[in-house]
Amino acid sequence: MHLKIAYITVPKKERIHCIHWLAWDKLACPKRDGGLGFRDFWAFNLAMVAKQGWKLLSDPVSLVSRFFKARYFPNSSFLNANLGSNPSFMWRSLWKARDVLCLGCRWSIGTGSNIKVLHDSWLWGSTYFRVSGLFLEGVYNLTVQDLLLPNSKQWNVGVVNSLFEQVVADQILNTPLIEEVVDDVLIWNEERSGAYSVRIGREDKKDAGRFAMVVESLWKNQNNIVWNNNREDLARIGIQAYYNWFDWFNARDDLGVNIDPQLPMVRNPPAVGWLKCNVDAGFNNYHQTTNRAWWLRDNLGRFLVAGVAWDKGITSPIEAEALALKEAIQTAITMNLNNVIFESDSQVVIHAINSTVTGKSEFNIIITAIRRLLSLVTNFEVKFIKRQANMVVDSLVKAANSWSRRSFVNVAPPCIDIYLVNDMN
């Protein structure tokens, strides 16, 4: 039997070519940057393991947390632990994932007794919230509580200036101390709730909007440097840009209304028998203070009373807005006022008050305090108002440093005259 072998000629264009290999970094690069958009599984896995490490930090009394502490870091915290000898695979993975947590964790200052000045992350405006530099020997064992005035939640300016060089001392004195935070709590700074979360995915329209807001904020900061010789902290610029975007995103339904930002917007007066209290907050970069103000008017738009306050240090924008609202509500309760509508131009704050979300961050603690105050008085309402309709209290915020740290204004100051006339008309 003869076998016939047929030879098939494959056209050149149909020939199978060898695989063109690409580096993983190229594959994992987003499509918009020329890659294929593959997920970086190593980073994803590390983030997921970090979530388990977060449980060791946030729930130290659990059985698993106590086991790992007794075995691997009996005399230190998880973030400061060493790998140790003969570590298990699980501990080695958790220990490696600490790097992720160290990038975003910081302490929320309560009493300060559990926070080591040089070993823990707590300092606003510094890299990874850590104190760095050369220090006196006695500083190494200090806690944050040692830098506070006795029986008061204020920085001891004399002690801070005597122990640290000027740059570090300024960072410490500009770190806000919020009265509502009672206990020292470790929080995840990247989330408003203060809890760790894994966020990995493709960029969408929301991400693009946030990016655009950051670019705009950096551009404004650059102009401020050139024309006013006033530079803002980059970390605070990023935080403020995010919450500005959040306000815009939630209020986007109002974007179809053409508003001249130079003209005061006509406000809706309260009904007869009701009062309106507008609140606002802002920052004074020259004095490095967080400013707050509120003002009360009747149904005819007449000025009744106002309050201004400022504190040393720069908080985040939403914390400042929440503190302004809380202070106004607390004052109204002290004055035995009834039927009061409180208005804020922060959509984030109003949304948080009306939600059931809780957390350990400074912002959530303030929101919880506001909810508690509102529960005491049934005839108080909290509403959102457009920024253009909040110019009276905005002017008071800008002028807050002209008064003492806490002041009541019984006579309308000249800086708000034009807006009061508009209100009464």
Side-chain angles (χ1 to χ4, degrees):
M1 182 174 63
H2 299 282
L3 298 176
K4 294 182 178 181
I5 301 176
Y7 293 92
I8 302 175
T9 302
V10 179
K12 192 173 184 179
K13 63 179 181 179
E14 296 181 8
R15 291 177 184 174
I16 301 174
H17 296 279
C18 61
I19 298 175
H20 294 277
W21 296 101
L22 290 177
W24 179 255
D25 290 344
K26 184 70 173 179
L27 295 175
C29 186
K31 291 182 179 180
R32 65 181 181 277
D33 297 329
L36 295 181
F38 287 8
R39 176 172 288 179
D40 189 334
F41 288 105
W42 182 87
F44 178 77
N45 180 67
L46 194 63
M48 293 299 294
V49 175
K51 190 171 185 178
Q52 304 307 314
W54 175 256
K55 292 181 179 179
L56 299 182
L57 295 172
S58 59
D59 190 11
V61 298
S62 67
L63 180 61
V64 173
S65 299
R66 286 184 290 160
F67 168 79
F68 277 104
K69 181 171 180 59
R71 174 66 177 83
Y72 294 107
F73 52 99
N75 301 316
S76 67
S77 67
F78 171 57
L79 293 180
N80 295 319
N82 295 318
L83 180 59
S85 58
N86 194 26
S88 66
F89 174 78
M90 176 60 74
W91 171 246
R92 189 184 295 273
S93 301
L94 288 171
W95 188 81
K96 182 63 178 177
R98 293 181 320 150
D99 296 339
V100 176
L101 296 176
C102 288
L103 293 176
C105 278
R106 71 170 173 85
W107 282 91
S108 175
I109 302 173
T111 63
S113 59
N114 297 312
I115 307 173
K116 296 291 186 181
V117 171
L118 298 186
H119 303 291
D120 293 326
S121 301
W122 61 274
L123 185 64
W124 286 49
S126 62
T127 305
Y128 307 137
F129 305 102
R130 295 256 180 161
V131 178
S132 60
L134 299 175
F135 310 102
L136 300 174
E137 184 178 353
V139 175
Y140 288 88
N141 295 321
L142 290 180
T143 64
V144 172
Q145 187 179 45
D146 297 322
L147 306 181
L148 303 178
L149 291 172
N151 303 318
S152 175
K153 200 167 185 180
Q154 295 184 43
W155 295 113
N156 191 326
V157 179
V159 169
V160 172
N161 285 329
S162 65
L163 293 176
F164 302 94
E165 59 184 9
Q166 193 61 48
V167 174
V168 177
D170 289 342
Q171 288 178 331
I172 294 174
L173 297 177
N174 291 330
T175 297
L177 298 171
I178 299 176
E179 291 286 349
E180 288 71 18
V181 181
V182 178
D183 300 316
D184 298 326
V185 179
L186 195 64
I187 65 173
W188 182 249
N189 191 66
E190 304 301 319
E191 286 292 327
R192 195 165 64 244
S193 65
Y196 176 85
S197 69
V198 180
R199 292 176 178 267
I200 299 180
R202 294 181 299 176
E203 184 174 288
D204 56 15
K205 292 182 179 179
K206 292 182 180 180
D207 294 322
R210 285 193 286 264
F211 176 75
M213 191 66 75
V214 170
V215 171
E216 181 188 18
S217 299
L218 291 174
W219 175 73
K220 289 182 178 179
N221 183 56
Q222 182 63 30
N223 286 341
N224 209 17
I225 295 172
V226 173
W227 298 106
N228 302 318
N229 194 27
N230 189 2
R231 183 191 301 269
E232 289 194 44
D233 176 66
L234 292 180
R236 191 165 69 83
I237 289 176
I239 296 173
Q240 188 162 1
Y242 172 78
Y243 292 120
N244 286 344
W245 167 85
F246 192 91
D247 276 344
W248 171 85
F249 185 79
N250 284 281
R252 64 193 184 281
D253 293 336
D254 298 326
L255 296 180
V257 181
N258 293 323
I259 299 171
D260 186 346
Q262 302 300 322
L263 296 176
M265 180 184 291
V266 177
R267 286 162 283 273
N268 295 322
V272 176
W274 281 78
L275 303 174
K276 268 197 177 180
C277 182
N278 289 71
V279 303
D280 199 12
F283 307 101
N284 187 307
N285 292 318
Y286 178 79
H287 294 286
Q288 286 292 294
T289 59
T290 298
N291 298 354
R292 303 183 296 278
W294 56 266
W295 79 290
L296 196 69
R297 68 186 190 274
D298 61 15
N299 62 295
L300 297 178
R302 292 176 298 194
F303 179 94
L304 299 179
V305 66
V308 293
W310 55 266
D311 288 312
K312 189 68 174 173
I314 304 294
T315 67
S316 74
I318 58 167
E319 288 163 5
E321 296 282 358
L323 284 170
L325 180 58
K326 175 184 173 293
E327 193 161 320
I329 296 174
Q330 208 160 25
T331 304
I333 293 175
T334 303
M335 297 172 65
N336 295 317
L337 298 179
N338 294 305
N339 301 332
V340 182
I341 300 173
F342 297 90
E343 293 182 332
S344 168
D345 58 24
S346 174
Q347 190 79 280
V348 180
V349 172
I350 302 303
H351 180 267
I353 292 172
N354 294 324
S355 71
T356 58
V357 177
T358 59
K360 296 181 179 181
S361 67
E362 291 96 339
F363 176 70
N364 282 96
I365 290 174
I366 299 169
I367 292 298
T368 300
I370 291 175
R371 290 181 188 145
R372 190 181 303 115
L373 290 174
L374 291 174
S375 67
L376 300 176
V377 186
T378 57
N379 55 359
F380 282 1
E381 297 180 15
V382 176
K383 295 182 177 181
F384 169 73
I385 188 175
K386 295 177 182 178
R387 195 176 303 275
Q388 292 88 347
N390 212 27
M391 297 306 297
V392 171
V393 71
D394 178 73
S395 299
L396 289 172
V397 166
K398 293 176 180 177
N401 296 95
S402 301
W403 289 284
S404 59
R405 189 164 174 261
R406 293 275 190 291
S407 299
F408 283 97
V409 183
N410 296 312
V411 178
C415 63
I416 63 173
D417 282 346
I418 183 175
Y419 302 112
L420 289 180
V421 171
N422 175 71
D423 230 39
M424 296 179 69
N425 292 333

